Amino acid sequence: MKIIKKVDKMKTYAKIMKKENKLIGFIPTMGYLHEGHLSLMRTARKQTDTVITSIFVNPLQFGPDEDFKKYPRNIKKDEELARQCGVDVMFYPENEDMYPEGFATYINVEGLTEGLCGKSRAGHFRGVTTVVMKLFEIVKPDIAYFGQKDAQQAFVIKKMIEDLRMDITMKIMPIAREESGLAMSSRNAYLTKPEKKEAGILFTSLKLAEESVNSGEKDPKKIIKKMRDSISASSASAKIDYISIVDTKSLKEVRDISGEVLIALAVFIGKTRLIDNIIINTEKSEEGYKNVGTPKERNTVQGRA
Ligand code: PAF
């Protein structure tokens, strides 16, 4: 596995791959890799000729009171894990090379970024789309892989790709979960053991929502109340940032549940803000949509884009 640190070198490498007609698969990350990232890398390995992953903790997507400084980092372990997944190139650029002094160009997707996490994390998605656009420009991927865990991020990037008519296929892959159902995230490293146990409540509440929909409940307010009640009942320290049920195209809240909806939530467990979601399509199956299953079977929106 090649390690490339300089933007120019990465660009040259990508250009050579293009000339050789190699299909480039790209997994942008902020490192501290877990099974979620690794599953994207393994899929890219199967589907493309050259697999590139980037590790860059992007300062632009963190608010002033957020965890940029303490975001977990372990580059040596990341290198080893990526190597095991058959990654060809790990690109980890330096901040000064990505954002040289005087950097003043930003990408902003309107609308989709306003609700959900956009409400409590001002400027976050502008930071994400700016860095992803920049990484796309450097790495020149044919296929880019993202996890459904950050569903709003995935939808926003998909919109950017569509609006700018970029020649990139985006694949949104299923959420990798712990046995408890807790969605894998680099930020889970912040949780103490008891907090980690408590954090299972996010997934439990999503399953509860899904069961309600399956048994015919169409009122999002009632479902959200059920979710709130179940979270408060089983965790004294959990603080709900939001629970929303939105249309997957507009990311606007729905008045009743029909078609495809995203049920998303952000909850603080102690000081750690965790997010999770499920996508439910009420029209998909004649028997009623079944999304409750083992972690591995859940939430597949592969091939959506
Ligand atoms: O999901 C992430 O890890 C980041 O938001 C991303 C897409 C790598 C951009 O910094």
Side-chain angles (χ1 to χ4, degrees):
M1 186 177 74
K2 249 182 168 0
I3 310 271
I4 300 183
K5 293 190 181 174
K6 291 281 174 224
V7 168
D8 283 346
K9 281 211 170 126
M10 188 65 248
K11 282 182 143 186
T12 306
Y13 181 92
K15 267 187 208 148
I16 295 169
M17 291 302 113
K18 288 265 160 224
K19 245 195 188 152
E20 291 179 5
N21 274 329
K22 296 271 199 312
L23 201 69
I24 300 180
F26 179 45
I27 306 101
T29 82
M30 297 208 298
Y32 215 72
L33 303 177
H34 52 70
E35 183 50 36
H37 300 115
L38 305 184
S39 65
L40 305 185
M41 291 173 192
R42 284 187 213 111
T43 307
R45 180 69 284 159
K46 282 189 205 133
Q47 297 180 342
T48 61
D49 302 314
T50 302
V51 179
I52 302 175
T53 188
S54 64
I55 294 192
F56 179 61
V57 185
N58 172 35
L60 223 57
Q61 68 189 77
F62 290 80
D65 299 325
E66 293 184 356
D67 54 343
F68 173 65
K69 280 219 172 96
K70 70 165 189 173
Y71 196 84
R73 293 157 168 94
N74 189 343
I75 201 75
K76 281 286 153 232
K77 188 163 172 220
D78 287 351
E79 271 179 29
E80 190 44 45
L81 292 169
R83 192 173 284 122
Q84 282 167 17
C85 293
V87 167
D88 296 300
V89 178
M90 180 181 270
F91 173 49
Y92 65 101
E94 276 160 18
N95 202 27
E96 299 70 44
D97 207 12
M98 287 295 278
Y99 302 122
E101 225 183 291
F103 184 90
T105 304
Y106 300 89
I107 298 283
N108 194 35
V109 173
E110 295 179 356
L112 296 186
T113 54
E114 280 155 23
L116 305 172
C117 288
K119 247 189 196 156
S120 41
R121 302 190 70 191
H124 168 69
F125 288 112
R126 187 178 87 136
V128 170
T129 41
T130 300
V131 81
V132 170
M133 179 72 190
K134 188 152 185 170
L135 289 166
F136 281 173
E137 185 48 33
I138 297 165
V139 171
K140 307 235 168 357
D142 298 287
I143 308 181
Y145 298 82
F146 292 85
Q148 192 198 313
K149 214 300 257 39
D150 300 291
Q152 187 176 16
Q153 164 175 286
F155 290 131
V156 167
I157 293 169
K158 181 170 173 259
K159 179 87 174 117
M160 174 181 84
I161 292 174
E162 281 168 6
D163 282 357
L164 301 180
R165 303 271 303 257
M166 301 170 86
D167 291 324
I168 296 174
T169 300
M170 181 175 174
K171 299 224 169 165
I172 306 175
M173 309 295 290
I175 300 176
R177 297 184 180 280
E178 309 264 2
E179 269 312 302
S180 68
L182 174 65
M184 291 200 187
S185 160
S186 307
R187 287 192 169 98
N188 291 352
Y190 301 148
L191 299 169
T192 62
K193 250 196 179 162
E195 281 176 347
K196 203 165 181 192
K197 216 167 156 210
E198 241 177 286
I201 184 64
L202 272 73
F203 184 60
T204 310
S205 74
L206 287 167
K207 274 205 305 201
L208 200 66
E210 184 173 65
E211 279 156 20
S212 296
V213 174
N214 283 343
S215 53
E217 183 57 77
K218 291 207 175 312
D219 183 350
K221 283 194 187 128
K222 285 192 184 148
I223 295 171
I224 291 172
K225 181 168 181 328
K226 244 191 200 173
M227 292 172 74
R228 282 187 175 275
D229 289 348
S230 88
I231 291 174
S232 316
S234 50
S235 167
S237 74
K239 215 179 105 232
I240 298 167
D241 178 1
Y242 70 79
I243 302 178
S244 279
I245 305 184
V246 299
D247 176 78
T248 52
K249 288 200 183 66
S250 65
L251 298 189
K252 292 242 158 61
E253 284 183 4
V254 294
R255 290 224 201 115
D256 57 22
I257 312 265
S258 72
E260 194 179 65
V261 294
L262 168 74
I263 308 185
L265 77 173
V267 176
F268 283 91
I269 300 288
K271 286 196 177 123
T272 308
R273 185 175 180 278
L274 299 172
I275 57 172
D276 201 351
N277 69 80
I278 52 170
I279 291 174
I280 297 183
N281 192 333
T282 53
E283 281 156 19
K284 246 195 182 145
S285 153
E286 281 168 11
E287 305 158 10
Y289 191 77
K290 295 227 176 353
N291 200 15
V292 180
T294 63
K296 283 200 188 97
E297 290 164 356
R298 299 181 52 81
N299 299 338
T300 308
V301 288
Q302 198 170 345
R304 165 186 289 277

